[in-house]
Amino acid sequence: MRLGILDGIRGHLLIMMMLAHLAFQPGLSVFGEVHHVRLIGLYDAEFLIFLSGMLVGFLYETRLGTSGGLPRFLGQRTVKIYRYYLISAVPFLIITLVAMRSGLPDELMPIAQVALMQNGGSYSDILPIYVYCFVLLLAATPLLHRFGPVALLLPSGLVYVASQASYATGFFGLSGLFMAFDVGAWQFLFFIAFVLGALHRQITGALDRLPDGAFLGLLALALMLTALQRTFSYYPLLLADPGSLPINWARMQLHPFHLTRIMVVVALFGLILMRPHALTRWPRAVMDWWFNLRLLRLTGKYSIQMFVFHVVLMAVVMQSLPHLSSTQDLVLAAICLCLFLAAPFAWDAWQKRQRARRAAPIPGE
């Protein structure tokens, strides 16, 4: 796949995530009307996790595998994401500490929970998922080096199967205070994407060698399945009956059928992007135009910073809504959305000024 538009895809997903989280608030469902969930029936975290795993796999195959730099890369990336996770928890800590009326030991508890990724700001739980996935991949590095990327699917798949035995948020119940996703399940999506990224040359080569008829058959099948999965709602309980479940439990636990839905959509977009064809020329052109918009590319370029900013903005919205009228709710949400859309341009301009300042000669030298 042409990774040049990866920032644009990631930027699109982050903007859609902001819209979705606004739409989840009472009285703000209008923001969900322009979300891609209306088109494909899926939200954003699924594809952000997939993109992250695919990119790490691509980097492993092209650079990090030959240089032996994967452990160093994963360590640096884990530290960076953990640092931004702590920043994302600041609104939660401020709200929690201000609301408290008890003694110091109780006030220290939220801080300890945040430090251990057991609590944090609303809608910030995707960052701990990244941390867990990177740590698991780091632990699996010896297996990767000895047996290759496909071998990672076995231990990751076993953890996934075990996660389906009981419904639990966090990592088998860990982090369940604020993490809605079952990390034991979602790590499997990351590892699938990692393997696909590591095998991207073989996959691209196989697609290129396919006769036109076979390729068009695959494309038609992916298009049909994408259309069918849009309204799919059958999720049988597999290994356990946990009783009462939230309405979105299948997504949070990454039910095998939900995982299949994700991969169907990924396959459709992958086929369009990976092999040029006369019949895919116009959707490729549309995607090229859309994902190369400067707004999307800058949002994706500063994805971690933008994600944290979205957490802060959502904290402002969620704390303010109970005290505002319905009209004021919409105005506040619109202002926060505009701030979010403007932020990558402001951040990029600031970064350029910083680089220019560092590059400027020091007077007198």
Side-chain angles (χ1 to χ4, degrees):
M1 183 179 294
R2 295 169 299 160
L3 294 176
I5 64 172
L6 181 60
D7 280 341
I9 297 174
R10 193 159 41 199
H12 166 88
L13 293 171
L14 286 167
I15 292 172
M16 292 298 107
M17 180 175 284
M18 182 70 186
L19 286 170
H21 290 166
L22 285 173
F24 293 162
Q25 308 311 308
L28 299 180
S29 60
V30 64
F31 289 96
E33 296 303 318
V34 291
H35 193 282
H36 62 234
V37 72
R38 301 298 182 201
L39 181 64
I40 62 172
L42 295 169
Y43 282 97
D44 319 289
E46 290 88 334
F47 303 109
L48 284 169
I49 297 296
F50 185 90
L51 281 176
S52 178
M54 187 188 68
L55 179 58
V56 177
F58 177 84
L59 292 175
Y60 169 76
E61 196 277 336
T62 54
R63 292 207 314 263
L64 300 176
T66 54
S67 66
L70 182 62
R72 182 172 63 255
F73 170 83
L74 291 173
Q76 293 171 346
R77 196 68 177 169
T78 300
V79 170
K80 180 178 181 179
I81 292 176
Y82 181 74
R83 185 170 67 247
Y84 276 101
Y85 153 76
L86 292 178
I87 296 173
S88 75
V90 168
F92 162 78
L93 287 173
I94 292 174
I95 293 167
T96 301
L97 296 177
V98 167
M100 281 187 170
R101 297 290 183 269
S102 54
L104 184 60
D106 289 336
E107 292 176 353
L108 290 177
M109 184 57 70
I111 299 176
Q113 291 171 343
V114 166
L116 296 173
M117 295 191 298
Q118 303 304 295
N119 218 333
S122 297
Y123 300 117
S124 67
D125 45 354
I126 196 173
L127 294 180
I129 294 178
Y130 284 139
V131 171
Y132 281 120
C133 288
F134 290 154
V135 170
L136 288 171
L137 181 56
L138 183 60
T141 299
L143 182 66
L144 171 65
H145 288 164
R146 181 162 184 177
F147 297 105
V150 176
L152 299 184
L153 293 179
L154 177 59
S156 177
L158 290 175
V159 173
Y160 173 75
V161 171
S163 74
Q164 302 300 302
S166 63
Y167 180 81
T169 53
F171 194 93
F172 294 109
L174 190 69
S175 307
L177 283 173
F178 85 111
M179 189 180 292
F181 300 94
D182 183 343
V183 186
W186 279 68
Q187 56 79 31
F188 191 43
L189 177 62
F190 176 89
F191 274 87
I192 291 173
F194 174 84
V195 172
L196 293 176
L199 300 178
H200 74 278
R201 289 181 180 172
Q202 295 93 315
I203 295 171
T204 302
L207 281 177
D208 288 341
R209 290 191 297 271
L210 275 180
D212 271 4
F215 172 74
L216 291 177
L218 279 179
L219 187 65
L221 178 63
L223 182 61
M224 180 186 69
L225 292 176
T226 297
L228 289 175
Q229 67 79 36
R230 182 180 177 276
T231 56
F232 188 88
S233 59
Y234 175 65
Y235 295 105
L237 294 171
L238 300 176
L239 303 178
D241 184 357
S244 178
L245 287 172
I247 191 171
N248 63 343
W249 74 272
R251 178 182 183 239
M252 297 299 102
Q253 197 172 5
L254 198 65
H255 190 283
F257 287 176
H258 191 80
L259 176 60
T260 302
R261 293 179 61 195
I262 297 168
M263 298 312 300
V264 163
V265 175
V266 167
L268 176 62
F269 280 83
L271 288 171
I272 292 173
L273 289 172
M274 291 171 71
R275 173 169 165 169
H277 192 277
L279 291 181
T280 62
R281 185 179 298 121
W282 71 264
R284 283 168 62 94
V286 170
M287 284 191 277
D288 272 336
W289 166 76
W290 178 253
F291 293 127
N292 280 295
L293 290 176
R294 189 161 181 260
L295 168 62
L296 300 187
R297 297 199 69 154
L298 285 179
T299 303
K301 179 180 179 180
Y302 303 114
S303 57
I304 298 180
Q305 295 89 341
M306 290 299 296
F307 182 85
V308 172
F309 187 44
H310 129 274
V311 172
V312 174
L313 291 174
M314 287 307 305
V316 171
V317 171
M318 294 172 68
Q319 289 299 307
S320 302
L321 288 186
H323 310 289
L324 301 176
S325 68
S326 58
T327 301
Q328 291 170 330
D329 291 349
L330 287 171
V331 171
L332 175 62
I335 290 173
C336 288
L337 179 60
C338 289
L339 289 173
F340 185 79
L341 297 177
F345 296 100
W347 183 263
D348 190 60
W350 182 79
Q351 291 280 66
K352 288 178 179 178
R353 285 198 299 270
Q354 292 298 106
R355 288 194 293 268
R357 185 178 301 170
R358 288 193 294 266
I362 301 175
E365 288 191 357

